[in-house]
Amino acid sequence: MVVEIATHARDVARDAQRIIDSVREGVGKAWFAHRLAVEPGADRDAVRVRCAALLRVEKVRTTIEATDADGMFPADLNDWERTVVASELARDGFVAWYRNPGSATPASLRIAYQNDEGDWASLQPDFIVVSRRTDGTLGASIVDPHGDYLADARAKLHALAAFAERFGDRFVRIESVAKVEDGSLRVLDLGDPAVRAEVRAFEGGKVTALYQSEHSRPYL
């Protein structure tokens, strides 16, 4: 079966992107980004059109959206992100984890912040973890593996601390995790007012110093 869609040559990329964007929970966008990653050097618009064409096949789209309903979604994690997930899976009361999209999508938890130049941007913490409290209720935690190699690492950490200050009572934990010089993972518990104060006061160039200070603890 061939399906034709009326469009203009100059609007092909726009209309293809609309099809990709229409897939629930940002899955279409994630797949398009994946195809770009595995086809380095390919024409971006050609990849976009191929993705959109496949997503127009009803059976493909139905299968994709049904797999979201089961809570399953592929995630490309680095070594220490996998360590974080494994640690969270082993915690008492663990229920589920969600890989928060790294891009600003309707499915993302986004935290607004100003970078060092004063421009507004958004932080998407890496993981949302759902656990069962001792009273049987469910609660969410933010666990964010934080790379100090990023130019805006300090601004993002400040933003997460400010978010914890304002909304921390709505979460079980809000934690920032980093790999330090000896290769171990350390965590800053941003639910702790003393830790937040140290983060806000920090003016150093590399935030690794915070994770190696007495204000952090081993991530377990």
Side-chain angles (χ1 to χ4, degrees):
M1 181 181 69
V2 177
V3 177
E4 295 184 357
I5 301 174
T7 187
H8 191 282
R10 65 172 177 266
D11 295 330
V12 168
R14 180 201 65 188
D15 291 342
Q17 189 65 46
R18 283 178 177 172
I19 293 170
I20 291 169
D21 294 348
S22 69
V23 182
R24 293 188 312 176
E25 307 299 335
V27 174
K29 288 182 178 179
W31 186 51
F32 175 45
H34 170 71
R35 294 313 310 168
L36 289 174
V38 299
E39 297 184 47
D43 180 83
R44 188 181 183 89
D45 285 339
V47 175
R48 193 192 321 269
V49 170
R50 289 203 303 274
C51 289
L54 190 55
L55 291 171
R56 288 288 296 178
V57 178
E58 187 59 32
K59 199 167 185 178
V60 171
R61 191 180 183 112
T62 301
T63 299
I64 289 173
E65 294 190 340
T67 304
D68 289 348
D70 291 336
M72 303 298 290
F73 186 79
D76 184 14
L77 307 178
N78 62 33
D79 288 344
W80 60 293
E81 286 172 335
R82 286 195 291 271
T83 299
V84 167
V85 170
S87 297
E88 295 299 326
L89 288 171
R91 290 185 187 276
D92 291 340
F94 171 83
V95 174
W97 66 276
Y98 174 63
R99 179 59 165 92
N100 196 37
S103 56
T105 74
S108 304
L109 169 64
R110 302 170 61 191
I111 298 172
Y113 74 98
Q114 282 183 290
N115 60 27
D116 292 338
E117 288 72 43
D119 298 323
W120 283 98
S122 69
L123 160 66
Q124 288 78 236
D126 281 354
F127 298 112
I128 312 298
V129 178
V130 179
S131 58
R132 194 172 299 278
R133 300 185 180 96
T134 54
D135 63 2
T137 61
L138 296 177
S141 297
I142 294 174
V143 182
D144 188 34
H146 192 93
D148 71 339
Y149 54 86
L150 300 172
D152 55 359
R154 183 177 62 184
K156 286 182 174 179
L157 186 57
H158 283 185
L160 193 57
F163 181 85
E165 178 80 36
R166 186 172 180 185
F167 300 109
D169 60 341
R170 305 184 189 184
F171 293 85
V172 178
R173 293 175 290 132
I174 298 180
E175 297 180 341
S176 181
V177 182
K179 182 178 287 188
V180 295
E181 291 177 358
D182 65 2
S184 65
L185 295 181
R186 306 279 299 181
V187 62
L188 293 172
D189 176 8
L190 297 174
D192 184 335
V195 174
R196 291 199 301 269
E198 289 300 319
V199 169
R200 286 195 299 267
F202 183 76
E203 296 295 338
K206 292 189 69 174
V207 296
T208 306
L210 281 169
Y211 295 93
Q212 296 183 145
S213 74
E214 68 275 14
H215 303 289
S216 71
R217 56 175 170 76
Y219 175 72
L220 300 174

